[in-house]
Amino acid sequence: MKKIAMLLVFSVLFISCNPANDKKVLKTANGRINSLLVVMKNSQWQGDLGNELRKILAEPVIALPQPESQFEVSQVPLESFGSMFKATRNVLSVSLGDENSFTVNTNVYASPQKIITIIGKSEEELIDLIVTNNKKIVSEFKTSDLATVQRNILKKYWDPTKIKTFQEQGYSIKIPRNYNFVDDTGDFVWYRYHIDGANSMEIITYSYPIESENDENGNAIVARRDSIGKKYIPGEVKDSHMITEEAFTPHIFEVTLDGKKAFETRGKWEVKGMYMAGPFLSYSVIDKAKNRVVVVEGLTYAPSVNKRDYMFEIEAILKTLKINQ
């Protein structure tokens, strides 16, 4: 029995000392999507340095009916950055030091977590670093949050091989199982998630042939989506259907999606002949191999409710697009 006991002791010691088992276990990160914690001196936060950060972090999200900042921001001084705050999902640390540096780290104290650390030899140099890296600051936090949303909402999704349009048209996106089927014609897909009451989030997809330069350069996006709205998305009264809001010009940016040239469009939709409207986001992807444009779009109907996070979830879904080779 003594020999067996000794063998057990040695086995435990071997396992505990084995480098393969010396993996750091991180706590689960806390904090809402599209929120971040700024760690810096109170006096700096209330001065020019803080003002420069707020210009970037509190910039309104475009094409929303009500103004909403792209991040909800909290601030604590370094001496208050204890264990509770260290588990925050998104952290931006700004301080003075002996050298200028801009670093990005992942999963330092918790997971998933993104920490950006900016150090400057003076406040003026700190401001220069912030201005120079303003797009990277936003992109790092947004990309991390998008991945988190995708992990959370896409644990269960509708099987793309069972969706007729995806099979016949040779592309697909991952639609969460809590979105309900509305339409699937072989050319057009429509799924809906009921937020509460009559409020909803909608996912639609379709494609159309490239027939002119306007289709390739993004100049036909509004005309094409309006024709789809007339054909597939009727309103509740006669001759009503979804259109792009005529009083608001959409914002269109050239981006890359699924490795292909695409146009991101952020605008507002309305139902012609009815008092219904809201924001939409679409990606029009140029599929040169099949001489077509593949469109994935999401929109929200939620009057008098903040819609930033709803549209962010839609963005996460749309960016799962895969076009068959």
Side-chain angles (χ1 to χ4, degrees):
M1 288 296 293
K2 286 185 178 180
K3 288 183 178 180
I4 294 174
M6 289 296 290
L7 282 171
L8 287 171
V9 170
F10 282 124
S11 298
V12 171
L13 287 172
F14 175 78
I15 292 170
S16 62
C17 294
N18 190 341
N21 294 288
D22 195 26
K23 191 174 182 179
K24 186 177 179 181
V25 178
L26 297 171
K27 62 177 70 175
T28 301
N30 58 52
R32 290 170 53 84
I33 296 298
N34 295 317
S35 66
L36 64 87
L37 178 69
V38 175
V39 181
M40 64 188 300
K41 288 183 177 180
N42 292 337
S43 58
Q44 293 174 332
W45 178 246
Q46 294 159 6
D48 292 340
L49 196 54
N51 290 337
E52 200 61 48
L53 280 173
R54 280 186 286 275
K55 287 180 188 176
I56 299 167
L57 304 178
E59 184 177 353
V61 178
I62 61 174
L64 293 182
Q66 299 91 17
E68 295 183 61
S69 63
Q70 59 183 336
F71 294 108
E72 299 297 327
V73 182
S74 302
Q75 177 266 332
V76 296
L78 181 59
E79 58 268 23
S80 298
F81 188 54
S83 58
M84 181 179 72
F85 288 122
K86 284 182 177 178
T88 304
R89 184 188 311 279
N90 295 322
V91 178
L92 175 61
S93 176
V94 181
S95 61
L96 295 172
D98 296 330
E99 60 180 7
N100 295 331
S101 65
F102 181 98
T103 58
V104 180
N105 291 290
T106 302
N107 300 343
V108 179
Y109 304 109
S111 177
Q113 183 182 57
K114 187 71 66 175
I115 296 181
I116 295 178
T117 304
I118 308 176
I119 299 174
K121 291 185 286 186
S122 68
E123 285 202 12
E124 290 76 16
E125 287 170 295
L126 271 175
I127 289 174
D128 285 342
L129 282 168
I130 290 167
V131 172
T132 301
N133 293 282
N134 62 349
K135 291 182 179 179
K136 185 172 179 62
I137 292 169
V138 174
S139 174
E140 287 288 344
F141 289 130
K142 289 294 184 185
T143 301
S144 179
D145 275 353
L146 280 170
T148 298
V149 171
Q150 288 174 336
R151 281 193 297 271
N152 290 342
I153 69 173
L154 295 176
K155 292 175 181 176
K156 293 182 179 180
Y157 56 90
W158 293 105
D159 183 355
T161 65
K162 302 295 175 59
I163 296 175
K164 180 180 178 182
T165 299
F166 291 168
Q167 289 306 292
E168 293 189 4
Q169 301 301 322
Y171 69 86
S172 67
I173 59 173
K174 294 179 180 179
I175 303 174
R177 294 283 297 195
N178 56 356
Y179 282 68
N180 298 314
F181 170 86
V182 179
D183 203 0
D184 177 16
T185 68
D187 296 309
F188 174 81
V189 169
W190 184 0
Y191 277 74
R192 171 182 294 135
Y193 172 57
H194 289 283
I195 302 169
D196 60 78
N199 295 348
S200 66
M201 296 159 65
E202 318 280 338
I203 297 291
I204 64 174
T205 79
Y206 56 93
S207 64
Y208 56 86
I210 296 174
E211 297 176 333
S212 70
E213 288 186 5
N214 285 334
D215 289 322
E216 282 196 71
N217 60 27
N219 288 336
I221 289 172
V222 171
R224 290 287 193 173
R225 79 175 299 277
D226 286 351
S227 67
I228 289 293
K230 185 175 183 179
K231 184 176 181 180
Y232 290 114
I233 310 177
E236 294 180 357
V237 300
K238 186 179 179 181
D239 296 328
S240 67
H241 58 272
M242 188 188 74
I243 61 172
T244 307
E245 185 175 310
E246 295 176 339
F248 183 89
T249 301
H251 299 266
I252 301 176
F253 312 92
E254 186 172 327
V255 296
T256 300
L257 187 58
D258 192 33
K260 299 174 180 61
K261 174 183 172 181
F263 294 97
E264 175 183 294
T265 305
R266 294 180 181 267
K268 297 176 183 177
W269 62 271
E270 62 182 350
V271 176
K272 188 175 182 179
M274 296 181 65
Y275 291 104
M276 292 183 69
F280 77 86
L281 165 66
S282 74
Y283 291 96
S284 303
V285 184
I286 310 302
D287 183 13
K288 293 286 287 184
K290 296 183 180 178
N291 194 46
R292 64 177 178 173
V293 179
V294 175
V295 180
V296 290
E297 178 175 322
L299 54 92
T300 298
Y301 178 68
S304 303
V305 175
N306 286 340
K307 290 173 264 295
R308 178 196 63 195
D309 292 350
Y310 294 148
M311 296 307 296
F312 196 74
E313 177 176 316
I314 284 171
E315 180 179 349
I317 295 168
L318 301 184
K319 284 186 172 178
T320 65
L321 173 68
K322 295 297 179 185
I323 298 175
N324 298 348
Q325 298 299 318

